[in-house]
Amino acid sequence: MFKKGTKLYSILTGNCPKCHEECMFKNKNPYALSEALSMNEKCSNCDTKYKIEPSFFYGAMYVSYAVGIAFAVAAFVVSFYFFKASIHVVFISIIVTLIIFLPVILRVSRNIWINIFMSYDNSLTKK
């Protein structure tokens, strides 16, 4: 399920959606906030251009909304059902979770968005 060659592998690692060899982002650490969304122009292995067209990643905003909701629901379930917290504490835990995971949410959203339009090509991998 999480093997090289699957979309899930590319989404979770941030690697090129075509060859899965190189990270799309200039800095692998999403918490280097000044470079959180800085992407390479193209893959050095397969020459896949990441920005298919100008403003390509605007569509990732819609994906980030859904991913953010998933993180918020997870924070709600953990704080309300597992820790039996009050509704005020639950609300604060959701807000804190969304703030802490914002760089991850943004990157995963971009990874999902580009993987919608590109697929893995086994012939492009390094031997």
Side-chain angles (χ1 to χ4, degrees), residues 91-123:
F91 179 74
I92 292 169
S93 70
I94 291 171
I95 299 301
V96 169
T97 299
L98 290 176
I99 291 171
I100 290 172
F101 286 104
L102 180 64
V104 174
I105 292 169
L106 293 175
R107 279 203 177 182
V108 168
S109 301
R110 280 190 173 203
N111 296 344
I112 291 170
W113 186 250
I114 198 166
N115 273 279
I116 290 172
F117 298 99
M118 293 184 186
S119 295
Y120 178 70
D121 185 356
N122 194 23
S123 65

Side-chain angles (χ1 to χ4, degrees), residues 51-94:
K51 294 180 184 177
I52 298 171
E53 60 186 32
S55 305
F56 172 69
F57 286 107
Y58 281 153
M61 289 187 303
Y62 300 104
V63 177
S64 72
Y65 178 75
V67 174
I69 294 297
F71 273 78
V73 168
F76 171 79
V77 168
V78 168
S79 61
F80 190 73
Y81 290 110
F82 291 125
F83 293 118
K84 307 290 186 208
S86 69
I87 198 70
H88 294 93
V89 173
V90 169
F91 179 74
I92 292 169
S93 70
I94 291 171

Side-chain angles (χ1 to χ4, degrees), residues 20-78:
H20 293 186
E21 294 293 330
E22 179 188 70
C23 184
M24 293 187 295
F25 298 94
K26 291 182 179 179
N27 189 338
K28 284 190 172 197
N29 181 7
Y31 291 100
L33 297 178
S34 64
E35 298 177 324
L37 295 178
S38 295
M39 297 181 72
N40 296 317
E41 288 293 319
K42 60 183 181 174
C43 178
S44 63
N45 181 55
C46 66
D47 287 334
T48 297
K49 190 174 178 183
Y50 297 133
K51 294 180 184 177
I52 298 171
E53 60 186 32
S55 305
F56 172 69
F57 286 107
Y58 281 153
M61 289 187 303
Y62 300 104
V63 177
S64 72
Y65 178 75
V67 174
I69 294 297
F71 273 78
V73 168
F76 171 79
V77 168
V78 168

